[in-house]
Amino acid sequence: MAKSIMLMGTSSHVGKSILTTALCRIFRQEGQRVVPFKAQNMALNSYVTLDGREMGRAQVAQAEAAELAPEVHMNPVLLKPTGNSQSQVVIMGEPVGNMSAREYHKGYSLKAWGAVEEALDVLQENYDLLVIEGAGSPAEINLKANDIVNMRVAKHLRAPVLLIADIDCGGALASLVGTLELLDEEERALVKGLVINKFRGDVTLLTPALDFLEEKTGKPVLGVVPHIEQLGIDEEDSVSLDEKHYGDGAAHSDQLRIAVIRTPKLSNFTDFDALANEPDVALYYVGTPRELGTPDLILLPGSKNTTEDLLYIREVGLEDAIRARVTEGTPLFGICGGYQMLGRVVRDPLHTESEHDETAGFGYLPIETSFAATKRLRQVTASADLPFLGARIAGTGLPGYEIHMGETRFIEDVHRPFRIVSAAGTAVDLPDGAASADGLVVGTYIHGVFDDDDFRRALLNRLRVRRGREELPVQYRHRAEKERAYDRLAKTVRTSLDMEKLREIVEGRR
């Protein structure tokens, strides 16, 4: 039976996901068959597995760090907020319906526990070590009775727990002590160590605080992890977008400005991480017309609620601002929900996403989209033949995935800039997306299309040529840089924690 170690936090966004990722890479480097696990995720940033099921993006990064293909046993329950205190509930990669927060927490969550147990059984049979991530805080008194992601998992496995606090936010000592005080005796006994995360400055100045913590709680402080700039690892959810740059004022004069329209239900923002890491790109997020500035490219991202996000863009004046830029010749690229918005109309006859039966789109592309009851989930490989700024961008072997409930119909003939050549591991030949006749407006259902180094650089080079700049060879290798980021993270955490104590905890010797 596999051993386990569980990481819980004093609150959300203290770094549980990143430290779980680090431990996955560290123990994998030590030769163990290690697997990540999180019983329940709440995030709009999801991923499609090879077998066409949906899971949280954080466990995908953790699986990559552990050198594994992502599978839904790593994240059996996924909640995708849809608005109005409701979420789509996804169990073992399949959506089972929309529920209010009350319906889920007061009734359904304990039913979902069966999927958690099933997933844990599978992982325990196939791996040496489970590195488990909690969610939020284990001391939320109003949620504990029906919580299936924190102490219920630890008790089920008798898993030792590390409790993590974010010192960068302040109040780390109080949050660690207070969290332990709110746990019951059995739960406190499972906490085997404390970790201070995101520290900036001279760690020796913390010595009195660490001594106090150990004396007050009776728990060892396993280490202080520094704040790591530019992690280069996929973020779990849109909370991280609050730390992103807004407006184009910080762009250097020699950088391309790429604006991503930020909407309330923006999803899969990791589609743009590779672009953001290019040295000649300043990628920024836009919530108001004033923030749009004068970008070289505008991106319309995916959405968990296309209709409501479309109306939001219209209501805050961003539609007019975008239209003015496109009229001036700025290209506009939409992915998934953003692609649907570019058409003439979005229909929701079954009220899958909203109460609106029909909403006018932006009208750039001759397409109409209707939402259906079933979701398309599949990994794909595609080729590209994209007219863009006076040239044609070709590409082959572009990896990505589809995750949408809309079916798009073409009203007029239009150029289809992508062809899906493989779907869910099966050879196919299916056109995808649409491009306007002048090549200024492009849409696709394929998430991850910008992860391909050659395609991404070809598109950026067209933007560079338009600015009177020379073309560049590939500057950034997305997959290789992610691997280096995992190794860098592992090295930082390994040197920051008392690994000997941690191994003793994992082995049950503490």
Side-chain angles (χ1 to χ4, degrees):
M1 195 65 71
K3 297 180 174 62
S4 57
I5 182 74
M6 188 163 187
L7 286 74
M8 296 188 195
T10 57
S11 69
S12 297
H13 211 48
V14 300
K16 297 184 294 293
S17 296
I18 292 300
L19 293 182
T20 300
T21 304
L23 293 188
C24 283
R25 177 52 62 106
I26 288 169
F27 287 116
R28 180 64 191 133
Q29 289 173 335
E30 294 180 356
Q32 296 201 52
R33 296 179 305 155
V34 58
V35 64
F37 180 80
K38 186 171 184 178
Q40 173 189 293
N41 239 327
M42 175 174 278
L44 290 176
N45 207 26
S46 60
Y47 177 83
V48 177
T49 61
L50 186 59
D51 59 354
R53 294 193 278 178
E54 192 175 2
M55 63 183 287
R57 192 84 193 198
Q59 281 62 61
V60 174
Q62 292 159 6
E64 290 176 349
E67 300 179 350
L68 298 173
E71 56 169 302
V72 294
H73 294 104
M74 302 170 184
N75 174 215
V77 182
L78 175 64
L79 306 179
K80 303 188 72 176
T82 60
N84 300 319
S85 297
Q86 291 217 338
S87 292
Q88 182 183 63
V89 180
V90 180
I91 304 294
M92 293 301 284
E94 301 287 348
V96 298
N98 292 347
M99 299 181 196
S100 68
R102 174 171 291 276
E103 287 173 322
Y104 180 78
H105 289 292
K106 295 295 185 181
Y108 193 84
S109 64
L110 294 183
K111 296 178 182 177
W113 174 251
V116 175
E117 290 183 307
E118 175 189 340
L120 285 170
D121 289 344
V122 170
L123 297 182
Q124 285 188 297
E125 286 295 322
N126 290 285
Y127 295 94
D128 301 324
L129 175 65
L130 276 63
V131 182
I132 305 165
E133 180 187 346
S137 163
E140 301 290 352
I141 304 303
N142 57 313
L143 299 176
K144 281 183 69 173
N146 298 310
D147 181 22
I148 64 170
V149 66
N150 288 306
M151 280 299 175
R152 191 179 297 272
V153 174
K155 291 177 181 178
H156 178 75
L157 296 175
R158 304 309 303 168
V161 173
L162 303 183
L163 186 61
I164 303 161
D166 175 3
I167 198 169
D168 197 38
C169 291
L173 273 65
S175 61
L176 285 167
V177 172
T179 299
L180 287 168
E181 286 293 322
L182 290 172
L183 299 178
D184 63 36
E185 186 175 348
E186 180 186 8
E187 293 166 343
R188 274 195 301 273
L190 288 172
V191 177
K192 301 298 184 181
L194 310 178
V195 176
I196 303 291
N197 195 26
K198 304 184 188 179
F199 180 73
R200 305 172 192 258
D202 183 354
V203 73
T204 61
L205 298 177
L206 265 185
T207 300
L210 305 185
D211 292 341
F212 164 80
L213 274 176
E214 293 192 338
E215 181 179 352
K216 178 71 174 177
T217 66
K219 309 291 183 183
V221 177
L222 291 191
V224 178
V225 180
H227 189 281
I228 305 172
E229 299 290 346
Q230 298 182 343
L231 276 167
I233 294 171
D234 291 347
E235 299 282 2
E236 179 179 20
D237 55 40
S238 57
V239 171
S240 61
L241 288 181
D242 294 336
E243 301 172 358
K244 305 289 188 184
H245 173 65
Y246 282 76
D248 69 349
H252 299 303
S253 60
D254 60 343
Q255 285 182 307
L256 298 169
R257 294 172 167 85
I258 298 182
V260 181
I261 304 301
R262 183 180 181 182
T263 56
K265 296 304 174 187
L266 182 155
S267 67
N268 296 82
F269 60 89
T270 46
D271 284 340
F272 313 120
D273 283 356
L275 285 167
N277 286 317
E278 289 283 1
D280 60 337
V281 167
L283 186 138
Y284 58 98
Y285 286 81
V286 172
T288 66
R290 181 181 58 82
E291 292 169 342
L292 184 60
T294 56
D296 296 286
L297 173 66
I298 301 171
L299 299 173
L300 268 179
S303 169
K304 188 63 192 72
N305 194 319
T306 302
T307 299
E308 295 292 345
D309 276 353
L310 191 159
L311 291 172
Y312 169 85
I313 291 171
R314 186 164 287 152
E315 288 165 4
V316 300
L318 269 169
E319 180 183 9
D320 291 339
I322 293 168
R323 196 173 298 280
R325 296 314 314 160
V326 174
T327 300
E328 291 292 320
T330 302
L332 174 62
F333 198 118
I335 296 179
C336 198
Y339 169 39
Q340 295 167 346
M341 294 179 196
L342 296 175
R344 295 180 182 174
V345 67
V346 176
R347 297 189 177 93
D348 192 359
L350 303 178
H351 294 167
T352 301
E353 288 192 351
S354 75
E355 295 303 312
H356 300 278
D357 294 321
E358 183 175 303
T359 305
F362 298 154
Y364 287 110
L365 299 174
I367 62 174
E368 296 180 344
T369 299
S370 295
F371 289 111
T374 57
K375 182 183 291 190
R376 173 168 290 178
L377 297 162
R378 61 184 184 182
Q379 286 190 12
V380 301
T381 304
S383 61
D385 176 22
L386 172 63
F388 190 71
L389 298 182
R392 295 188 90 84
I393 298 176
T396 59
L398 278 61
Y401 59 95
E402 291 182 84
I403 178 170
H404 59 91
M405 300 186 81
E407 294 294 333
T408 295
R409 184 175 71 89
F410 290 80
I411 304 167
E412 301 170 7
D413 288 339
V414 65
H415 180 68
R416 311 294 300 278
F418 299 96
R419 294 199 78 81
I420 296 174
V421 299
S422 173
T426 301
V428 296
D429 183 17
L430 301 170
D432 173 82
S436 61
D438 58 8
L440 271 184
V441 180
V442 183
T444 178
Y445 270 124
I446 303 173
H447 291 281
V449 69
F450 294 123
D451 288 354
D452 183 86
D453 298 330
D454 294 321
F455 176 79
R456 184 177 67 253
R457 176 44 56 184
L459 183 139
L460 293 176
N461 277 341
R462 295 314 306 161
L463 296 174
R464 290 180 63 85
V465 167
R466 190 179 194 198
R467 294 251 316 247
R469 305 261 166 79
E470 77 283 1
E471 296 190 11
L472 296 175
V474 171
Q475 302 291 294
Y476 173 79
R477 298 285 181 185
H478 184 56
R479 183 66 225 177
E481 290 300 326
K482 283 180 74 172
E483 285 299 312
R484 275 193 277 272
Y486 293 136
D487 287 340
R488 171 181 168 235
L489 173 64
K491 181 179 180 180
T492 301
V493 173
R494 185 187 286 109
T495 57
S496 302
L497 298 184
D498 187 329
M499 291 303 298
E500 186 54 39
K501 283 184 181 177
L502 178 56
R503 292 186 190 96
E504 291 176 0
I505 290 171
V506 171
E507 295 292 332
R509 291 185 280 123
R510 274 187 173 264

